[in-house]
Amino acid sequence: MKLTAPLVYGLLACILLVSAPHADHLPLWVSAVCMMLLAWRAYLTYSGNPLPARWLLLAVTVACVVGIAINFRTLFGREVGVTLLILLATLKLLELRAVRDATILIYLSCFIIITNFFYSQSIPTALFMLLSLLAIVTTWLHLQTGTLHLLPRMRIAGMLLLQAIPLMLLLFILFPRVQGPLWGMPQDAYASSGLTDRMAPGSMSKLSMSDAVAFRVAFNGKAPPRDQMYWRGPVLWDFDGTTWTRGRNATLQRPQLDDAATPIDYTVTLEPHNKPWLFALEMPTQISIPADLAPDFQLLNRTPVNARLRYNVRSLLSYRANRGEPPQQLRRALALPPGYDPQAMRLAAEWRAAGGGDMAVVRTALAYFNRNGFEYTLEPPLLGTNSIDEFLFTTRKGFCEHYAGSFVFLMRAAGIPARVVTGYQGGEYNDLGGYYILRQWDAHAWAEVWLPDSGWVRIDPTAAIAPARIQNGLSAALPDNAALPFLARTQSPFLLRLRFNLDALTNQWNQWVLGYNTERQFAFLTRLGMEDVTWQRLAMNLLAGVALIVGVLALFMLRHLYQRDIDAVQRVYRRFCTRLAKRGMVRAAHEGAQDFAARASARFPQQAGAIADITARYLALRYEGRNDPASLQGFRHAVAAFKL
């Protein structure tokens, strides 16, 4: 077959469609070179000029490969592989001379489609790749059929893709799953943002600029009030004067809850963040996956969470936590770096000297934040060496990490064991999906103090300066929220509805497509009645299902081989014979129309005229070439009027 200009343009479109989504992560010079090569090939096709010499293509190829090796410092790995694949597919267009070259480009396009899922598995990406696949199949049909027009080719390509859906579903459901992300690599989660085990001034406010989803929560029943939605994450004990860190627990003693009540059950779908911590309402007591509960009630996964994780949790909202905290842990909760923040140390000493007990000191500290002109802001001033002093007595502008960190410092300076807890607070309810969405802008920090009678008690100093942050979310607490992501600021009912619809759709996609892991596959197949789900049984069922689907499709497509092509004249005459057969006058297989008419007229002499007329009309239409519509219509009327 000759490679026509429309076919070449189709191949150009295929390579462009499958490569375009990669432009975001390809080196800029590679994207520029690919665009120039595509434009060059389109110009050669349009002008009819010959393709470039092979030595020139070889020189360009070697130069590009050397450039990629210098850029990535290697020729191995996913990024380099994808870059080389796109570049070589583009270069292949410039040596497109035979059908074999076109076929190779079709296959390369299909392969590049798969690489797009290494970077994004979202619904828009999947839809765009489906559109690209339709273009590829249409071009492949052009290569096979030659002269078929575009619209019929697109229709056939669409039919082929529709016929592939049953096979695709069968493979998706039964193909044995492996641990890890469906398409991405485990290291894909390394770039994910989220809470770390360190907190310094500015870390939380920076995280609040992101609208990325941290996790979603569906409650088994009524959700708790928003001011009780504290999603516990890393607990920070150690302070070096600037940064709070987790450190290492001084005990292996299991955490203990006394007088616990108000249980609540829920399911968390956690986005990958490449850290081991899991998030749960305070205080978690049970979890459905293998995980450890640290002595400070922090839930820890056995491995970093580098794939979407779903787990069920039970929490108790009313409790007294670790009243019997070991002394070494309490000493750790009183430790302060020497030589830092002398003004805060003196202030805490004055509160302690005033008497009234630990709770009186706590109330005094909260009142201090509430009555001394403190401001809640996403853009606090930079702080120096004595960051606590500068915040408490000079700038008085800060985010939740400033208030939580300085409050814990003051408590320790007053002799009250205290620690910082980070996590998320609140959540946005999606009534379409029936779940809460926790985004990075919901990241929060609060404090816990240890009191002899109550154990660890949550104190949120942010609530003393910005109670709207706890009751209504971050946007409501900031007088100037222009720095927040657009989604956090907008209150338009239409946009909120649209966002919830999209998120509900994304959640279902995550749950049933991207989240269809080994456990979900096992649960789903068990629900379908499949017992003893092993990879051998899955493979056998998969092969049987493929054979069944292919067989059914083949029978459907070849059905015309089993159908007799009966013309309209024959069909009407058979109707006439059937009426006679019902009265016992059956036409023999070898019997001609005239012989049958004679026999029928003898049997039914009163209808001899009608039988002769019908037979004459049939013979004229069948054998005398009188097949005009009027004669056929007259034949139909004669048979319809025939009565016995």
Side-chain angles (χ1 to χ4, degrees):
M1 177 193 169
K2 185 181 177 181
L3 299 181
T4 59
L7 177 59
V8 176
Y9 291 138
L11 292 169
L12 279 166
C14 291
I15 297 298
L16 183 61
L17 281 172
V18 298
S19 303
H22 285 293
D24 189 37
H25 44 262
L26 286 179
L28 184 60
W29 69 268
V30 173
S31 298
V33 168
C34 289
M35 286 305 299
M36 285 191 292
L37 293 175
L38 289 173
W40 188 14
R41 186 62 176 94
Y43 171 74
L44 293 177
T45 305
Y46 175 76
S47 62
N49 290 332
L51 295 178
R54 291 187 184 278
W55 66 266
L56 180 57
L57 287 179
L58 181 62
V60 173
T61 303
V62 171
C64 290
V65 172
V66 171
I68 290 173
I70 294 173
N71 193 97
F72 290 97
R73 301 179 185 277
T74 180
L75 285 178
F76 299 97
R78 186 186 65 180
E79 305 296 335
V80 178
V82 171
T83 305
L84 280 173
L85 187 62
I86 292 174
L87 188 60
L88 295 179
T90 309
L91 283 165
K92 184 68 181 172
L93 282 165
L94 288 167
E95 63 166 14
L96 179 61
R97 292 184 171 85
V99 173
R100 183 191 61 181
D101 299 324
T103 305
I104 291 174
L105 279 169
I106 294 289
Y107 293 155
L108 281 173
S109 302
C110 294
F111 197 75
I112 296 175
I113 278 186
I114 298 174
T115 63
N116 282 289
F117 291 107
F118 288 151
Y119 302 93
S120 172
Q121 297 96 45
S122 64
I123 295 175
T125 299
L127 292 176
F128 186 75
M129 290 303 106
L130 183 61
L131 177 66
S132 303
L133 187 59
L134 179 65
I136 293 171
V137 177
T138 303
T139 307
W140 175 73
L141 286 170
H142 191 184
L143 182 65
Q144 302 298 322
T145 59
T147 57
L148 196 60
H149 291 294
L150 177 62
L151 287 180
R153 273 189 280 123
M154 291 183 67
R155 185 176 58 81
I156 297 174
M159 289 299 296
L160 288 174
L161 293 180
L162 287 176
Q163 290 171 10
I165 288 177
L167 277 177
M168 179 197 70
L169 290 175
L170 187 70
L171 286 168
F172 178 79
I173 293 171
L174 292 179
F175 196 84
R177 288 294 190 276
V178 296
Q179 295 292 341
L182 177 62
W183 284 104
M185 307 290 284
Q187 60 267 28
D188 289 348
Y190 290 3
S192 301
S193 62
L195 279 178
T196 69
D197 56 355
R198 302 169 64 86
M199 188 189 79
S203 58
M204 285 288 175
S205 52
K206 183 179 179 182
L207 192 59
S208 296
M209 303 293 185
S210 170
D211 61 0
V213 174
F215 55 93
R216 295 177 176 86
V217 182
F219 288 96
N220 301 342
K222 186 179 179 182
R226 183 185 174 91
D227 59 4
Q228 292 192 37
M229 287 189 185
Y230 282 83
W231 304 95
R232 193 178 187 86
V235 181
L236 311 181
W237 293 76
D238 298 342
F239 183 53
D240 63 0
T242 304
T243 304
W244 292 87
T245 56
R246 285 180 63 209
R248 301 187 60 165
N249 278 301
T251 179
L252 297 178
Q253 180 176 308
R254 287 186 58 81
Q256 182 68 39
L257 291 179
D258 296 322
D259 302 329
T262 321
I264 188 162
D265 299 316
Y266 49 96
T267 301
V268 177
T269 304
L270 179 63
E271 297 295 314
H273 56 83
N274 201 41
K275 306 292 189 305
W277 32 89
L278 308 173
F279 296 96
L281 283 177
E282 294 178 331
M283 292 293 190
T285 57
Q286 297 177 19
I287 187 167
S288 62
I289 60 173
D292 299 317
L293 186 59
D296 50 15
F297 291 94
Q298 183 180 348
L299 273 175
L300 296 170
N301 198 35
R302 303 282 168 81
T303 58
V305 180
N306 53 29
R308 193 169 286 106
L309 187 63
R310 180 184 168 94
Y311 51 90
N312 302 319
V313 190
R314 166 167 285 190
S315 293
L316 297 169
L317 303 184
S318 176
Y319 53 83
R320 289 198 283 182
N322 278 2
R323 284 196 299 169
E325 189 72 78
Q328 60 270 31
Q329 285 281 77
L330 295 180
R331 285 195 295 273
R332 193 174 169 220
L334 288 168
L336 288 174
Y340 283 90
D341 306 299
Q343 288 181 273
M345 296 287 288
R346 285 194 295 273
L347 179 64
E350 292 173 6
W351 292 345
R352 172 55 76 188
D358 292 344
M359 275 309 297
V361 174
V362 170
R363 285 193 289 270
T364 302
L366 294 177
Y368 181 82
F369 284 126
N370 183 257
R371 297 170 184 168
N372 286 281
F374 283 87
E375 184 179 331
Y376 189 64
T377 176
L378 270 174
E379 299 173 338
L382 294 176
L383 302 175
T385 304
N386 292 305
S387 58
I388 303 292
D389 276 359
E390 291 182 33
F391 168 64
L392 289 176
F393 304 107
T394 305
T395 67
R396 298 187 177 182
K397 293 180 178 179
F399 201 56
C400 57
E401 69 265 33
H402 295 80
Y403 293 98
S406 59
F407 179 85
V408 171
F409 185 95
L410 289 168
M411 293 301 102
R412 290 186 178 187
I416 302 173
R419 61 193 182 191
V420 174
V421 183
T422 60
Y424 297 86
Q425 200 281 326
E428 187 177 41
Y429 184 64
N430 185 342
D431 57 346
L432 296 173
Y435 59 84
Y436 283 82
I437 311 168
L438 277 296
R439 298 181 185 273
Q440 297 300 345
W441 69 54
D442 294 312
H444 192 51
W446 57 95
E448 283 182 342
V449 297
W450 188 85
L451 304 174
D453 294 333
S454 305
W456 289 103
V457 177
R458 181 178 65 232
I459 305 292
D460 190 350
T462 301
I465 183 65
R469 165 67 182 88
I470 310 304
Q471 295 294 338
N472 303 309
L474 180 59
S475 178
L478 294 171
D480 181 9
N481 57 16
L484 285 174
F486 174 74
L487 292 180
R489 287 181 278 122
T490 181
Q491 296 299 318
S492 163
F494 171 74
L495 291 179
L496 282 175
R497 205 68 181 169
L498 178 63
R499 178 152 57 92
F500 287 159
N501 273 292
L502 292 176
D503 193 84
L505 188 63
T506 301
N507 187 47
Q508 292 300 315
W509 173 264
N510 292 339
Q511 298 284 344
W512 290 103
V513 180
L514 302 182
Y516 189 69
N517 54 18
T518 307
E519 292 76 17
R520 280 227 149 190
Q521 184 183 41
F522 180 84
F524 181 70
L525 295 178
T526 304
R527 215 178 313 163
L528 289 181
M530 185 182 294
E531 298 178 354
D532 189 20
V533 181
T534 62
W535 71 266
Q536 295 95 334
R537 186 176 289 273
L538 287 176
M540 293 299 296
N541 288 333
L542 184 60
L543 290 175
V546 169
L548 178 64
I549 291 174
V550 171
V552 170
L553 286 176
L555 287 174
F556 177 76
M557 295 173 67
L558 300 176
R559 66 189 185 284
H560 63 279
L561 298 178
Y562 302 94
Q563 292 179 348
R564 294 182 179 179
D565 186 15
I566 302 175
D567 60 32
V569 176
Q570 189 70 10
R571 190 164 51 246
V572 176
Y573 182 68
R574 285 190 174 185
R575 200 179 304 151
F576 165 69
C577 295
T578 302
R579 291 184 180 176
L580 287 168
K582 288 181 179 178
R583 298 296 299 271
M585 191 66 208
V586 180
R587 183 188 176 198
H590 63 277
E591 197 171 22
Q594 289 180 331
D595 293 341
F596 179 62
R599 201 158 56 85
S601 296
R603 174 78 178 273
F604 305 104
Q606 69 278 15
Q607 297 293 340
I611 293 173
D613 177 59
I614 290 173
T615 303
R617 290 175 183 270
Y618 170 68
L619 293 175
L621 286 165
R622 187 75 175 163
Y623 301 108
E624 296 175 8
R626 193 186 301 167
N627 54 358
D628 56 284
S631 300
L632 178 60
Q633 191 65 18
F635 181 47
R636 284 198 180 105
H637 288 162
V639 172
F642 180 72
K643 305 291 182 184
L644 289 176

